[in-house]
Amino acid sequence: MKTYANKEIVDAVVIGTGAGGSPLLAKLSAAGMKVVALEAGPYWNPAVDFASDEREQNKLYWPHERLSAGADPIIFGRNNSGTGVGGSTLHYTAYMPRPHPEDFMLYTEAGVSADWPLTYYDLERYYDELEWFLGISGPTPYPWGPARKRGYPLAALPLNAPAQLMEKGCRTLGIRTSPAANAALSAAYYQEPIGWRHACTNRGFCEAGCNNGAKASMDVTFIPLAVHHGAEIRPACFVTELEEDRSGRITAVAYLQNGKQQKQLCKWIFLCAGAIETPRLLLYNKMANSSNQVGRNFMAHTSLQLWGEFEEETHPYKGIPGGLISEDTLRPHGADFASGYLVQSIGVLPVTYASTLVRTTGLWGAALRERMQQYNHVAGINMHGDCLPQPGNFLALSDEQDDMGLPKPVVYFSNGDNEKRMAAHAKALMTRIWEAAGARHIWSNMRNAHTIGTCRMGTDPALSVVNSEGRSHDIPNLYICDNSIFPSALRVNPSLTIMALSLRTADLFLAHSKRLENASL
């Protein structure tokens, strides 16, 4: 790996190496720029470090405490942030549905939330590029949404037991289903200049880290590409300060590495630390917030889960967790809520299932043991729906400090009427599906997934933090590129759109830089 001195003024520093930072990092370095990536977590070796053991793999989840408030406090940990080179993609389930064009225009459609300052079609070519670069396994043609210019590069992964049961229940009710698009290889796949990646072994521990490279996490896709083109990846570097000059440009990034304060000089900053750490860094540095929108508009997908026990064995830990999808609920007929949701099958690992069961139902002792004895007969189904931004849902800085002496973030969140009505609609439908599939002992777990929207993009600097290119309205050499810039939550898993925005931001930045270079000649 190429390295750069701290005193050397590199072209760009990228903060964070997840779905936002890594694609951008690869494109900038491929264009010949001197780029350094700062990652708070370690540089893992999947073959050695990723065990088929849930408790061991807690090391992949963000270690620093986040405080929750509101009527529906967000549960932080494995569902929302990762630590290590690759970020949350190290433990995401690799579910890769695309949003639809109308998802970007919720205000125009329903008079709620906010329209994006770009359209689906501005990102379409990046979706295409990503699906082939990552090696997405999925059905061709895909049953919902605009026709694709080309299909998925690999056939869909085999359906595990929960997916087969969802398929059975939906067929009985006349609901369309399809194998889902997943960023896990159904066959060996070759990528220049990375080489061969192995096919998925259906190990099922996607949330505990893929140990053979079949899952398209950033550490086995965009990161090696970036390193090949000359980028430096610095692990265990926690960014604490962004230094400005008198003109308001950022000139250096200060960070803690192994307990020592370091500083990297730079020309451009790409902040890609996610919807919690990105606003936290800006708030305690008192930067990029003339709009007073940093930390505002926090969203978390509506994601109610329904569980049941079946006569047949299911072994819910096996196979890709999200194997089957239905998007027939995109805009349900007669719905009393805006936007919509998708339905997906879900697998679950045993410790996760036990802890969810205890937290949700209060079972303990003999009653809990009895239910857990049925674990290998359990299957889940899940809705994944939109979430509207509300004034009372936001991130602020707490008076409490973490072990680095920095203020802890506190996130206020309450589900609104739209989220509650959507969840009720989904619960009724999924209960019918599970009953049709033969489930007994059905129970549900209301939850919210993902962290979204705390540095909104928009055209009006008074109402947003960055413009449609991800560039700060306040600081000319600062870009933000992660799920914090989403104006609305969309109703699908965010990773694919984060990556698409990252590639688009890189292209627009490189074109902007070229214009500046030509103007100076």
Side-chain angles (χ1 to χ4, degrees):
M1 185 191 299
K2 193 167 185 177
T3 59
Y4 300 94
N6 278 346
K7 292 183 178 180
E8 182 178 357
I9 304 175
V10 298
D11 293 310
V13 168
V14 177
I15 302 170
T17 58
S22 294
L24 187 147
L25 179 68
K27 275 218 168 184
L28 298 186
S29 56
M33 298 187 74
K34 297 178 180 178
V35 191
V36 171
L38 300 176
E39 167 58 50
Y43 208 144
W44 303 108
N45 179 349
V48 175
D49 295 328
F50 293 172
S52 297
D53 183 315
E54 288 179 82
R55 296 177 70 183
E56 164 65 20
Q57 292 311 98
N58 285 339
K59 64 191 180 187
L60 295 182
Y61 309 136
W62 188 255
H64 304 289
E65 185 178 36
R66 292 159 174 179
L67 307 178
S68 291
D72 303 294
I74 296 297
I75 299 172
F76 290 111
R78 70 182 63 192
N79 190 49
N80 295 304
S81 294
T83 183
V85 174
S88 296
T89 68
L90 295 171
H91 64 82
Y92 75 158
T93 55
Y95 210 65
M96 286 287 173
R98 290 190 189 189
H100 290 204
E102 53 267 47
D103 293 334
F104 292 85
M105 302 178 64
L106 197 51
Y107 184 79
T108 296
E109 177 188 77
V112 295
S113 188
D115 289 347
W116 287 50
L118 50 85
T119 71
Y120 168 89
Y121 298 100
D122 291 318
L123 296 178
E124 184 179 31
R125 72 182 181 95
Y126 297 109
Y127 291 140
D128 291 339
E129 178 183 337
L130 284 162
E131 286 164 354
W132 279 75
F133 174 74
L134 298 173
I136 302 295
S137 301
T140 298
Y142 190 75
W144 299 276
R148 309 288 177 88
K149 292 183 173 60
R150 56 179 177 174
Y152 291 111
L154 294 173
L157 289 157
L159 299 181
N160 61 5
Q164 292 176 38
L165 289 165
M166 175 179 156
E167 186 178 45
K168 174 184 175 182
C170 287
R171 188 188 308 117
T172 302
L173 300 177
I175 299 169
R176 289 183 301 167
T177 62
S178 169
N182 282 285
L185 304 177
S186 61
Y189 200 66
Y190 188 80
Q191 293 176 250
E192 289 281 359
I194 298 167
W196 286 98
R197 288 169 51 215
H198 299 292
C200 176
T201 61
N202 287 309
R203 166 175 161 263
F205 277 73
C206 304
E207 290 186 83
C210 181
N211 61 12
N212 77 336
K215 187 177 76 171
S217 50
M218 299 298 95
D219 60 319
V220 297
T221 53
F222 280 108
I223 291 293
L225 183 62
V227 171
H228 171 80
H229 288 301
E232 180 186 354
I233 315 297
R234 291 184 196 165
C237 295
F238 195 102
V239 174
T240 58
E241 187 178 354
L242 306 175
E243 295 188 3
E244 289 180 293
D245 64 14
R246 292 181 179 178
S247 71
R249 296 179 67 89
I250 296 172
T251 57
V253 179
Y255 59 95
L256 285 170
Q257 186 178 38
N258 300 321
K260 295 182 179 180
Q261 193 72 37
Q262 308 279 359
K263 184 190 297 185
Q264 176 64 57
L265 303 180
C266 58
K267 298 177 183 176
W268 298 89
I269 297 292
F270 294 85
L271 182 50
C272 313
I276 304 297
E277 294 307 311
T278 285
R280 180 166 83 132
L281 179 65
L282 294 177
L283 286 172
Y284 69 67
N285 276 276
K286 297 181 173 59
M287 299 178 76
N289 196 24
S290 64
S291 63
N292 196 33
Q293 292 298 302
V294 173
R296 299 288 172 180
N297 308 302
F298 177 84
M299 297 168 282
H301 284 123
T302 312
S303 190
L304 182 135
Q305 297 174 333
L306 197 81
W307 301 96
E309 297 170 10
F310 293 83
E311 188 67 33
E312 56 266 64
E313 289 189 344
T314 59
H315 300 288
Y317 56 90
K318 290 186 176 180
I320 195 77
L324 197 76
I325 188 172
S326 176
E327 293 197 53
D328 276 5
T329 49
L330 168 62
R331 299 291 189 273
H333 178 70
D336 59 351
F337 52 85
S339 191
Y341 60 94
L342 58 83
V343 178
Q344 64 187 97
S345 63
I346 48 173
V348 65
L349 298 177
V351 175
T352 299
Y353 182 72
S355 61
T356 303
L357 186 61
V358 170
R359 188 174 62 246
T360 304
T361 68
L363 285 176
W364 196 249
L368 176 61
R369 289 197 298 272
E370 182 180 351
R371 291 274 64 81
M372 285 307 298
Q373 285 170 356
Q374 297 300 310
Y375 167 72
N376 278 320
H377 292 263
V378 164
I381 188 170
N382 181 68
M383 61 88 72
H384 195 282
D386 218 325
C387 175
L388 305 184
Q390 299 181 66
N393 292 343
F394 62 93
L395 176 148
L397 298 182
S398 167
D399 292 335
E400 292 186 32
Q401 293 186 337
D402 61 19
D403 53 7
M404 292 176 290
L406 302 174
K408 295 177 182 177
V410 54
V411 175
Y412 296 82
F413 182 78
S414 303
N415 283 299
D417 290 340
N418 201 73
E419 290 75 46
K420 292 174 184 176
R421 289 193 291 263
M422 186 185 297
H425 186 282
K427 181 179 179 180
L429 177 62
M430 294 191 301
T431 299
R432 291 174 58 212
I433 293 170
W434 241 213
E435 288 174 344
R440 60 181 188 272
H441 295 298
I442 295 173
W443 61 279
S444 64
N445 171 37
M446 179 58 188
R447 61 193 284 270
N448 293 89
H450 308 121
T451 55
I452 304 167
T454 50
C455 292
R456 173 187 283 183
M457 73 162 80
T459 55
D460 186 347
L463 299 175
S464 57
V465 179
V466 298
N467 66 14
S468 63
E469 299 180 7
R471 189 175 181 180
S472 166
H473 292 304
D474 294 353
I475 301 174
N477 65 334
L478 170 66
Y479 284 78
I480 301 176
C481 194
D482 53 34
N483 47 346
S484 72
I485 69 172
F486 283 27
S488 68
L490 306 177
R491 51 167 189 89
V492 298
N493 303 60
S495 296
L496 186 65
T497 296
I498 297 171
M499 294 180 211
L501 286 171
S502 182
L503 294 177
R504 179 177 181 268
T505 293
D507 280 346
L508 293 171
F509 167 75
L510 290 169
H512 173 73
S513 298
K514 189 67 175 176
R515 290 194 297 270
L516 289 178
E517 182 182 322
N518 290 338
S520 65
L521 294 177

